[in-house]
Amino acid sequence: MKIRIKFFKQGDMKFIGHLDVMRYFQKVIRRADVDIRYSEGFSPHQLMSFAAPLSVGLTSNGEYVDIDVNSTGSSAEMIRRINQVSVEGIQVLSYKRLPEKAANAMSIVAAADYTLQFRPGYEPEDETNWFQEFASFLASPSIPVSKKTKKGEREIDLAPLIYKAETCVCPVPEEKQEERGAAEVPGIFLRLSAGSAANIKPELALDAYYKFLGKDRPEFAFLIQREEVYAAHYDENGRAEFISLDDLGENIEG
């Protein structure tokens, strides 16, 4: 049976890299007594696959890991069991059964949502106006950028890989509200291409805008959070409809 687990990664856990998150989940799955399947051979390992690695320093409300299990309890029971042995900063949000022939999360990622806000102490005089101008820039018909790849750098057009860019209001974590003097602050919502074909990070969009302004991007000026990850479903006309990875599974009733 294939299971998709959605979890968040918040607080100090944003400084934990992807490989350590993988090792962490292997231990948590054992501690929660999940009946996970193992590979065969001389060095068996848990059958586990993550959707899309998250850059160090980013928080997230929408991370995914797929596992294969021999048997399972209900979604509610498994969420409770896993969260009981989890650490502060990582919490399972859903535990859903996938169709038998479902592809693993990593292979179907097509887009991801992000929110960006300024870090306290780095805010411009008019945050709302800054993000409005940033969103207008991202609506340009063409945004040529240089993107680093494993084979070096190559020129790409960022514009068709930005599916949505609009200003928004971002909640401020409770422990930071006194520092910011507000419970909400201006920000921007981005839906960007993701996955193996064209993986676009929010930092690339920021770099393009600062280059347009003739400035260097301040390294620590932004708080970036991933909100959701999507697969793409194409209609008969070839138009893409994005479906969250969570919506591809179904809850297991008790």
Side-chain angles (χ1 to χ4, degrees):
M1 188 186 308
K2 296 180 179 180
I3 300 295
R4 176 160 296 155
I5 297 171
K6 181 179 182 179
F7 64 97
F8 73 51
K9 185 182 179 188
Q10 296 289 338
D12 290 342
M13 294 304 292
K14 69 181 181 181
F15 300 115
I16 304 301
H18 179 64
L19 292 178
D20 286 324
V21 172
M22 291 173 60
R23 298 186 189 102
Y24 166 80
F25 262 93
Q26 290 168 359
K27 294 178 180 178
V28 164
I29 290 297
R30 288 197 297 268
R31 290 171 182 164
D33 198 25
V34 177
D35 188 15
I36 192 169
R37 288 182 60 211
Y38 283 78
S39 63
E40 299 178 355
F42 293 105
S43 181
H45 59 272
Q46 295 178 1
L47 295 180
M48 177 182 294
S49 173
F50 285 77
L54 184 69
S55 299
V56 173
L58 273 62
T59 55
S60 178
N61 286 324
E63 296 301 288
Y64 291 91
V65 55
D66 289 355
I67 61 174
D68 279 24
V69 298
N70 298 305
S71 62
T72 183
S74 69
S75 293
E77 177 192 351
M78 300 309 293
I79 291 171
R80 178 186 59 79
R81 282 165 53 179
I82 295 172
N83 285 338
Q84 275 185 337
V85 296
S86 191
V87 297
E88 184 178 354
I90 291 184
Q91 184 173 353
V92 170
L93 302 172
S94 71
Y95 179 102
K96 293 186 176 181
R97 177 172 49 215
L98 295 174
E100 184 177 346
K101 296 183 179 180
N104 68 52
M106 180 183 295
S107 67
I108 60 173
V109 171
D113 289 345
Y114 298 89
T115 53
L116 287 72
Q117 59 178 276
F118 278 98
R119 188 183 300 275
Y122 288 84
E123 310 94 322
E125 289 186 6
D126 189 341
E127 290 179 78
T128 300
N129 184 63
W130 193 97
F131 282 115
Q132 287 174 343
E133 293 181 352
F134 182 33
S136 296
F137 168 78
L138 296 180
S140 302
S142 179
I143 307 175
V145 297
S146 180
K147 186 177 186 294
K148 292 182 179 180
T149 68
K150 293 180 180 179
K151 298 182 179 179
E153 291 192 2
R154 64 186 180 96
E155 294 294 322
I156 66 169
D157 186 1
L158 195 61
L161 303 175
I162 300 173
Y163 303 129
K164 188 179 291 186
E166 56 190 25
T167 57
C168 65
V169 176
C170 298
V172 177
E174 188 173 344
E175 66 274 12
K176 298 288 186 180
Q177 290 180 8
E178 183 175 351
E179 183 180 1
R180 292 302 303 268
E184 297 178 330
V185 294
I188 192 167
F189 171 88
L190 300 177
R191 179 167 295 171
L192 305 176
S193 174
S196 57
N199 188 48
I200 303 302
K201 295 182 178 180
E203 295 91 336
L204 189 61
L206 285 167
D207 287 340
Y209 183 52
Y210 273 98
K211 183 178 179 180
F212 169 75
L213 297 175
K215 301 178 181 180
D216 292 327
R217 172 169 62 91
E219 190 172 1
F220 303 107
F222 295 92
L223 296 172
I224 304 175
Q225 179 162 277
R226 183 149 70 189
E227 302 292 351
E228 188 56 270
V229 179
Y230 299 90
H233 171 72
Y234 295 91
D235 64 21
E236 57 185 15
N237 296 315
R239 291 174 298 194
E241 174 188 358
F242 294 115
I243 305 171
S244 76
L245 298 188
D246 193 47
D247 288 340
L248 296 174
E250 60 179 15
N251 282 317
I252 303 167
E253 302 301 329

